[in-house]
Amino acid sequence: MIDVAGLKKEYKAGSEVVPVLKGVDLSIEEGEFVCIIGPSGSGKTTLLHLLGGLDTPASGAIHLNRSELTSKNEKQRTIMRRKEVGLVFQNYQLLPTLTVYENIIFPLHADGKKASEGDVQMLLEAVDLGGFQKRFPHELSGGQQQRVAIARALIHEPAILLADEPTGNLDRQRSSDILDLLAMFHQERKQTIVMVTHDMFAAGYADRIILFKDGVIEAEVKREDDDYAKFLARFMA
Ligand SMILES: Nc1ncnc2c1ncn2[C@@H]1O[C@H](COP(=O)(O)OP(=O)(O)O)[C@@H](O)[C@H]1O
Ligand SMILES: [Mg+2]
């Protein structure tokens, strides 16, 4: 579903060029729930934005659903993103002047499509916001806002959901609500999920945990591996 090869990215800071991704190779299966953990500044968000076609790498290739992303121009990337990818950001990024309902259907409108009333209602129920569709973002808790953001990311039924620290601003109870929700979409809709977090509690929901450090993948572990518990324990500390 996702294939990344030799991915490099750098930023310019004045006259200096700072490498951020230093050659990332990564393969994610259809229906996998993968979590990327790692220290702040290690390049997790940069990688996720590249996967979502929001930015372009210095070199390397990204295949999403067998289609090469990095050779496309911005317009083509946007079209591909709208088709294949749903994005959830740490700070929700809801549009403040739109209601919950309007926020959720926004990606369809941006794409010139009409929302099916049944689909929107089903999604509203799935994220437990049935009675909230006429509310505005500022009338919701952080957890509720993040659930709107997740519904918005899923309205066009993308093959891949990319979530950047989706529980980063939430307390433990609201975090588990969001993670249970992602786990449900993963199980019931076979959604491929790539979630960035630095919370090991959140990482525990994934099939595979990838440790990112200093712009490269340092280690990874699958749930079925013998050293899975040891791996978790090492980073819980
Ligand atoms: N737009 C940008 N311009 C310059 N430097 C950036 C930019 N975005 C990120 N960086 C730098 O790249 C590094 C990795 O950032 P990021 O991908 O956000 O890390 P993480 O999500 O793991 O915390 C950091 O050192 C950050 O300062
Ligand atoms: Mg980040």
Side-chain angles (χ1 to χ4, degrees):
M1 178 59 68
I2 303 176
D3 257 299
V4 173
L7 199 65
K8 292 188 182 171
K9 173 80 184 171
E10 53 204 26
Y11 291 113
K12 285 191 185 69
S15 59
E16 240 183 294
V17 175
V18 184
V20 174
L21 300 183
K22 299 173 182 173
V24 176
D25 300 298
L26 176 62
S27 216
I28 295 172
E29 303 285 319
E30 183 173 359
E32 225 187 333
F33 185 167
V34 171
C35 177
I36 299 173
I37 61 168
S40 181
S42 57
K44 305 182 300 295
T45 295
T46 302
L47 175 62
L48 213 66
H49 283 184
L50 289 176
L51 292 180
L54 294 175
D55 204 351
T56 49
S59 60
I62 301 171
H63 285 84
L64 292 187
N65 224 347
R66 288 186 204 84
S67 180
E68 218 290 315
L69 182 65
T70 59
S71 56
K72 292 182 159 55
N73 65 31
E74 190 169 349
K75 193 172 168 208
Q76 293 167 322
R77 288 205 310 276
T78 302
I79 291 169
M80 183 151 169
R81 175 168 67 246
R82 284 187 186 147
K83 197 167 122 229
E84 307 281 1
V85 178
L87 269 161
V88 177
F89 301 94
Q90 174 169 3
N91 47 3
Y92 328 128
Q93 296 194 10
L94 300 177
L95 295 164
T97 58
L98 299 185
T99 64
V100 165
Y101 185 94
E102 290 161 349
N103 265 286
I104 291 175
I105 64 170
F106 187 79
L108 290 177
H109 277 194
D111 215 7
K113 292 196 186 111
K114 268 228 159 83
S116 129
E117 197 53 37
D119 286 353
V120 183
Q121 288 308 328
M122 220 155 60
L123 209 47
L124 273 165
E125 294 299 329
V127 298
D128 202 19
L129 287 171
F132 291 84
Q133 49 179 300
K134 293 207 173 98
R135 297 253 194 130
F136 288 91
H138 74 269
E139 299 171 318
L140 302 175
S141 73
Q144 289 169 331
Q145 291 185 55
Q146 192 57 298
R147 299 208 301 269
V148 176
I150 289 171
R152 178 182 60 182
L154 293 173
I155 188 69
H156 59 304
E157 298 186 10
I160 301 161
L161 182 70
L162 304 176
D164 194 3
E165 311 237 15
T167 60
N169 293 328
L170 304 176
D171 62 30
R172 183 46 51 96
Q173 182 54 49
R174 295 205 163 105
S175 290
S176 355
D177 291 347
I178 293 297
L179 293 162
D180 288 341
L181 191 63
L182 293 181
M184 183 195 80
F185 283 115
H186 170 240
Q187 265 165 23
E188 291 183 1
R189 303 190 179 191
K190 307 285 174 247
Q191 200 91 53
T192 305
I193 301 180
V194 184
M195 174 174 73
V196 164
T197 184
H198 53 241
D199 176 9
M200 288 311 293
F201 172 76
Y205 277 72
D207 302 323
R208 177 160 53 128
I209 302 174
I210 292 170
L211 173 64
F212 211 73
K213 209 170 167 188
D214 207 15
V216 290
I217 292 174
E218 187 171 83
E220 62 167 55
V221 71
K222 288 188 176 169
R223 185 180 293 282
E224 63 266 26
D225 292 348
D226 290 337
D227 55 347
Y228 176 78
K230 224 160 107 191
F231 188 98
L232 273 187
R234 207 169 111 212
F235 297 103
M236 287 283 198

